[in-house]
Amino acid sequence: MRHFNIKRIALSAATGIAALLFFPHPAAAAAGTGGDGYPREEVFQLTAQQTQSAFIDVDGSSGPSQGDEFVISGNLVRSSVTIGTYSEVCTLTRTAPADEFDLQCAVDLTLPLGQLTVEGRFTVTSAGPGNIDLAITGGTGRFRTAHGTVHGDRVSDTETLITVHLIR
């Protein structure tokens, strides 16, 4: 079995999830509901920049084990301007013999007009996280009726580009 730095890989993967949200660029956002009354979808990108992280090893083993947790927080950035913050807790739910594991994550994005909640599971291997696609499960304020999806692409160990498909 190959050994890899579980903390570094999982933290960079989890950072990616975390950062989604709102303040769509005017060119990227759909305006209002359509004339047919259907909700609108807004697509925009943000960068999640990790500022704090902790790894909680529940059984003291050298590798990943069920129940290990990653706690992460940071800033949500657009065009070099911080527009919000995020916090995230990911629990390791499955390990596999081929140096891979699954993380189940709950993320809260705090923005000036409300909060957004995002949840989901993804797989991490020794090569890094696979696809990070999570569900928008709700929100507060302007986002109180929010749903949709978020996709994360790792840029570095501490930054993730987030593409948000927000339906309100």
Side-chain angles (χ1 to χ4, degrees):
M1 177 161 99
R2 293 176 293 165
H3 293 289
F4 57 97
N5 186 332
I6 180 176
K7 183 176 178 181
R8 190 176 126 249
I9 290 173
L11 285 176
S12 65
T15 296
I17 334 172
L20 338 60
L21 254 352
F22 188 62
F23 270 49
H25 186 278
T33 56
D36 55 9
Y38 288 107
R40 67 180 173 174
E41 178 178 10
E42 300 172 46
V43 179
F44 53 93
Q45 292 185 322
L46 295 172
T47 299
Q49 294 179 336
Q50 176 184 315
T51 58
Q52 294 182 320
S53 64
F55 173 69
I56 301 152
D57 187 354
V58 297
D59 68 359
S61 67
S62 63
S65 58
Q66 274 189 320
D68 288 352
E69 288 191 333
F70 300 92
V71 181
I72 301 165
S73 62
N75 296 318
L76 299 172
V77 176
R78 167 181 272 140
S79 301
S80 301
V81 175
T82 298
I83 62 167
T85 61
Y86 73 92
S87 57
E88 169 182 358
V89 176
C90 295
T91 303
L92 197 145
T93 60
R94 181 189 67 88
T95 61
D99 287 342
E100 73 176 42
F101 56 90
D102 289 345
L103 290 174
Q104 172 70 36
C105 298
V107 181
D108 177 78
L109 304 158
T110 301
L111 298 158
L113 299 176
Q115 294 179 342
L116 205 64
T117 56
V118 178
E119 296 184 53
R121 180 178 63 92
F122 61 95
T123 299
V124 178
T125 68
S126 58
N131 288 329
I132 300 175
D133 292 303
L134 304 174
I136 297 172
T137 57
T140 65
R142 183 170 180 190
F143 312 113
R144 71 184 175 282
T145 61
H147 59 284
T149 62
V150 175
H151 176 79
D153 290 305
R154 179 179 169 202
V155 175
S156 71
D157 287 345
T158 59
E159 288 191 352
T160 301
L161 180 63
I162 305 298
T163 302
V164 179
H165 294 265
L166 178 67
I167 302 169
R168 298 186 293 127

